[in-house]
């Protein structure tokens, strides 16, 4: 089974979370490259751009870096121009963690839910804080078709798991 089949087995709007450094962004980039006609929206700024230098960007994968909630909102809406099969937002809860603006955050999630209902796959990456909690976890569970936890070698969720490995060539899984 390939990664995209495993991740999107239970629906079009999937959330992944895990500790820092376990491979959430690498996994997301691999899915974007695997699915093609993808839009990858990052809230990570220069950290994200440094990772792009290490991968070979395939045709049909579009990247955007956003620095605010309004840029994220516009990035999601503008991404529809490319008629993507997948939209990745890495990380969806960055601005919510700092601003705690529930109204703006809910608008983003509602828009993403409606896009997913039009048969576009959505992958939301969620940051985990130092105390191992997800800021906005109730929203994550309410709006997602599936929630997957990422460890250094497994994707775990809903009584299933997929072993993966990150190499210089990308992510290999499900092993």
């Amino acid at each position: 089974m390939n990664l995209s089949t495993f991740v999107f087995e239970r629906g079009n709007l999937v959330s992944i979370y895990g500790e820092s450094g376990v491979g959430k962004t690498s996994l997301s980039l691999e899915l974007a490259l695997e699915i093609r006609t993808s839009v990858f929206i990052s809230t990570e700024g220069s950290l994200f751009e440094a990772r792009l230098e290490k991968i070979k960007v395939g045709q049909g994968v579009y990247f955007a870096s956003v620095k605010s909630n309004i840029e994220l909102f516009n990035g999601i809406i503008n991404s529809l121009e490319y008629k993507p099969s997948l939209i990745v937002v890495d990380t969806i809860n960055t601005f919510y963690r700092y601003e705690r603006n529930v109204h703006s955050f809910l608008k983003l999630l509602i828009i993403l839910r409606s896009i997913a209902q039009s048969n576009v796959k959505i992958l939301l990456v969620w940051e985990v804080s130092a105390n191992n909690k997800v800021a906005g976890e109730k929203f994550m569970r309410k709006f997602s078709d599936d929630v997957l936890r990422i460890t250094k070698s497994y994707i775990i969720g809903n009584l299933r798991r997929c072993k993966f490995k990150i190499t210089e060539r990308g992510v290999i899984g499900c092993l």
Side-chain angles (χ1 to χ4, degrees), residues 142-154:
K142 171 79 175 159
F143 283 90
S144 301
D145 295 325
D146 201 4
V147 176
L148 303 171
R149 181 172 176 248
I150 308 297
T151 67
K152 286 202 181 259
S153 52
Y154 286 98

Side-chain angles (χ1 to χ4, degrees), residues 1-81:
M1 175 183 299
N2 65 14
L3 283 172
S4 61
T5 302
F6 179 84
V7 170
F8 293 103
E9 181 179 351
R10 305 243 168 120
N12 283 341
L13 198 155
V14 176
S15 290
I16 63 172
Y17 72 99
E19 295 176 10
S20 179
V22 297
K24 297 180 301 290
T25 299
S26 295
L27 177 71
S28 302
L29 287 167
E30 187 68 30
L31 287 167
L33 291 168
E34 183 180 306
I35 292 177
R36 304 287 179 186
T37 318
S38 300
V39 175
F40 192 100
I41 302 171
S42 176
T43 63
E44 300 289 319
S46 60
L47 294 173
F48 160 74
E49 291 165 7
R51 290 181 187 193
L52 281 182
E53 293 174 7
K54 295 180 181 179
I55 66 166
K56 293 180 181 175
V57 178
Q59 186 177 6
V61 181
Y62 305 95
F63 296 93
S65 184
V66 298
K67 296 180 180 100
S68 68
N69 228 357
I70 191 70
E71 283 185 16
L72 178 56
F73 180 83
N74 289 335
I76 291 166
I77 298 303
N78 292 337
S79 72
L80 297 175
E81 292 176 21

Side-chain angles (χ1 to χ4, degrees), residues 80-159:
L80 297 175
E81 292 176 21
Y82 297 105
K83 296 182 178 24
S85 298
L86 170 66
I87 298 172
V88 177
V89 180
D90 181 14
T91 57
I92 187 69
N93 60 339
T94 296
F95 307 120
Y96 175 73
R97 286 179 63 216
Y98 300 115
E99 300 168 6
R100 296 290 181 190
N101 187 333
V102 173
H103 184 69
S104 293
F105 195 58
L106 279 174
K107 278 199 279 189
L108 281 173
L109 293 173
I110 289 167
I111 287 168
L112 288 165
R113 163 59 52 212
S114 67
I115 293 169
Q117 289 171 343
S118 67
N119 215 24
V120 174
K121 291 175 177 24
I122 308 288
L123 181 66
L124 303 178
V125 180
W126 297 74
E127 287 183 333
V128 176
S129 63
N131 62 357
N132 208 24
K133 295 193 185 256
V134 176
E137 182 175 2
K138 290 180 182 178
F139 299 125
M140 175 179 74
R141 297 198 181 277
K142 171 79 175 159
F143 283 90
S144 301
D145 295 325
D146 201 4
V147 176
L148 303 171
R149 181 172 176 248
I150 308 297
T151 67
K152 286 202 181 259
S153 52
Y154 286 98
I155 306 168
I156 304 166
N158 292 321
L159 302 174

